Amino acid sequence: MLRNTPHQFGLIAVLLHWSMALVIYAMFALGLWMVGLGYYDSWYHDAPEIHKSIGVILLLTLVIRLLWRIISPPPKPLSSFSPQMRISSVVAHWLLYTLLLAILLSGYFISNRRWQADCGIQPVLSAGRSEWRRRTGRSGWRYPPVAGLDGSDPFTAARPSGVKTSLYRSRYNLKTDVRFAHPFTR
């Protein structure tokens, strides 16, 4: 029995459900593992590509699952449930589909540079950790100032040429000490 019946789910719906559930948990674990990778780890560049590929496959599987739900409607909720329980189960199910679709699409759009360029989103270059530490005397990574898009010095990149640093800082309400240019650096 591949299709859903009025009383139970079919094999295809069950396989789609459990395969997606396992892949979602695996993607979460992979994401947590990737956060701990250092720049010089061998998986630093490969793991995000695997994560993206699995995410696209998961997105396609979700579309297939939603189409299958239209082709083969799921069984009705049990009549022993209260009307509020039946309504809330349907709403919760569609809310989960919506959230999963939003997560998958946002992951795709965040990692797709061509989409970012079409929307006018510019990539941001930031100062390296050692440069931030040298300039500020801070040891932690605290949202370094943004560099110019051409890779210029982040501490003077935004200042137009010919404008004194003190005038530029006062115009944009920046403290004279670079460490206080961002509220999280205190």
Side-chain angles (χ1 to χ4, degrees):
M1 161 178 74
L2 296 177
R3 296 178 64 108
N4 298 334
T5 67
H7 304 291
Q8 71 181 29
F9 286 97
L11 182 63
I12 293 176
V14 170
L15 287 176
L16 284 172
H17 171 84
W18 286 109
S19 62
M20 285 185 66
L22 291 174
V23 170
I24 289 168
Y25 279 112
M27 289 282 282
F28 183 73
L30 180 61
L32 284 178
W33 175 70
M34 286 188 317
V35 170
L37 291 176
Y39 183 78
Y40 294 106
D41 287 331
S42 60
W43 283 96
Y44 182 79
H45 297 289
D46 295 334
E49 296 303 321
I50 293 170
H51 189 81
K52 290 181 215 174
S53 300
I54 294 172
V56 169
I57 292 170
L58 192 61
L59 178 63
L60 294 175
T61 307
L62 179 64
V63 170
I64 291 169
R65 185 173 174 186
L66 292 173
L67 289 174
W68 183 252
R69 191 174 172 93
I70 294 169
I71 294 169
S72 180
K76 302 283 183 204
L78 296 176
S79 59
S80 61
F81 291 157
S82 67
Q84 293 87 5
M85 181 68 80
R86 283 184 262 168
I87 291 171
S88 63
S89 68
V90 170
V91 169
H93 214 109
W94 282 105
L95 183 62
L96 286 172
Y97 282 134
T98 304
L99 290 174
L100 184 58
L101 184 65
I103 289 169
L104 292 170
L105 287 176
S106 67
Y108 174 77
F109 289 137
I110 286 170
S111 66
N112 189 336
R113 292 182 189 267
R114 183 172 185 189
W115 177 83
Q116 290 175 358
D118 290 344
C119 292
I121 299 171
Q122 297 294 324
V124 177
L125 303 174
S126 59
R129 185 182 294 220
S130 59
E131 179 67 12
W132 176 251
R133 189 178 295 132
R134 186 181 72 75
R135 294 271 180 125
T136 65
R138 296 258 184 192
S139 60
W141 183 252
R142 302 285 188 166
Y143 299 99
V146 176
L149 294 178
D150 58 352
S152 59
D153 181 16
F155 293 91
T156 59
R159 178 172 48 104
S161 60
V163 175
K164 292 185 178 181
T165 304
S166 60
L167 292 174
Y168 177 76
R169 289 183 192 280
S170 63
R171 179 176 177 187
Y172 292 100
N173 297 323
L174 298 175
K175 306 283 186 201
T176 55
D177 189 349
V178 175
R179 289 179 293 182
F180 299 107
H182 194 280
F184 294 110
T185 59
R186 295 182 181 162

